[in-house]
Amino acid sequence: MSFVSWLKRFFGRTAEGAKAHVVGTARLLGADALFLERMKRSSDEECEKLLLESIEGRHGIVVDWNASLENILEELECLSVQEREALMLAPEILAKRRIYEVPCQLTELLQPPLRALRIVETFGDSYFIFLVPPQLVEAFDRTNKYWSI
C-alpha cells in the first residue's frame, strides 16, 4: 500500500468513526433496529463481536491474520456448493498464500450470480471474511471502503 493510500485510509477511518462500518455492514446484511442500536452503544470490540454473531453461519467468519484460502475453505461453512467449487478452482499457489497478500485475486474468484467474497480488517489482528449477495456488493464496498483489503 502506498503512503498516499495509507493516508486516505487513516483519515477516512478517523473522519468516519471507528465502528461506523461495522454497524453499516450489519444494517446491510439485515440486522434489526434493536440490534443496531445495541451495536452503537457498545465498545468497538463488543460491536465487532456482535457483528460476528449476526453473520456467522450465514454471511461470513473471522479468520486469523495469517489465514489462507485453504483455511477459509475449511472454516467457512456457509459456502454454497457452487461457491465452494469456484474457490477450489484457485491455483494451488494462490490457495496457500496469506489472504492479505492476494486479496484482489481472491475476491475475483466469486462472480455473480454467486455471492461476492470480501475481506475486511478487524480492530485486532484478524480479518472478517464476508459473502455478500450480488445486489449488496456496491453498498458493502462503499460502507467498508476504508477497511477492506
Side-chain angles (χ1 to χ4, degrees):
M1 173 183 301
S2 73
F3 179 70
V4 172
S5 296
W6 178 87
L7 213 53
K8 285 179 185 177
R9 180 177 282 221
F10 174 79
F11 285 116
R13 288 179 179 186
T14 303
E16 191 175 77
K19 64 184 178 185
H21 74 289
V22 178
V23 176
T25 298
R27 181 181 302 110
L28 280 173
L29 297 177
D32 64 49
L34 288 174
F35 189 79
L36 294 171
E37 199 52 46
R38 185 173 158 209
M39 290 178 80
K40 290 175 187 176
R41 288 192 313 267
S42 64
S43 69
D44 294 349
E45 291 77 18
E46 183 62 28
C47 189
E48 277 192 340
K49 287 179 188 173
L50 290 169
L51 177 61
L52 178 58
E53 287 173 20
S54 74
I55 65 161
E56 214 165 25
R58 298 180 322 138
H59 295 290
I61 56 171
V62 170
V63 296
D64 193 55
W65 68 273
N66 64 353
S68 65
L69 177 58
E70 288 179 336
N71 302 123
I72 292 170
L73 287 167
E74 289 172 14
E75 296 179 37
L76 193 55
E77 297 172 1
C78 60
L79 285 167
S80 71
V81 173
Q82 296 88 355
E83 290 165 344
R84 186 170 296 281
E85 287 173 353
L87 291 173
M88 290 177 76
L89 292 175
E92 186 175 344
I93 191 153
L94 181 62
K96 292 186 180 297
R97 297 203 44 203
R98 292 183 176 138
I99 58 174
Y100 68 82
E101 296 174 327
V102 289
C104 293
Q105 294 94 322
L106 293 178
T107 58
E108 291 171 1
L109 292 171
L110 294 181
Q111 297 293 322
L114 302 175
R115 293 179 290 178
L117 179 77
R118 293 296 186 260
I119 306 165
V120 177
E121 289 183 284
T122 66
F123 298 132
D125 59 352
S126 53
Y127 297 104
F128 279 108
I129 305 298
F130 289 100
L131 292 170
V132 183
Q135 68 275 17
L136 299 177
V137 170
E138 191 176 313
F140 184 93
D141 289 346
R142 238 185 352 264
T143 300
N144 290 285
K145 67 182 168 190
Y146 302 119
W147 296 85
S148 292
I149 66 164

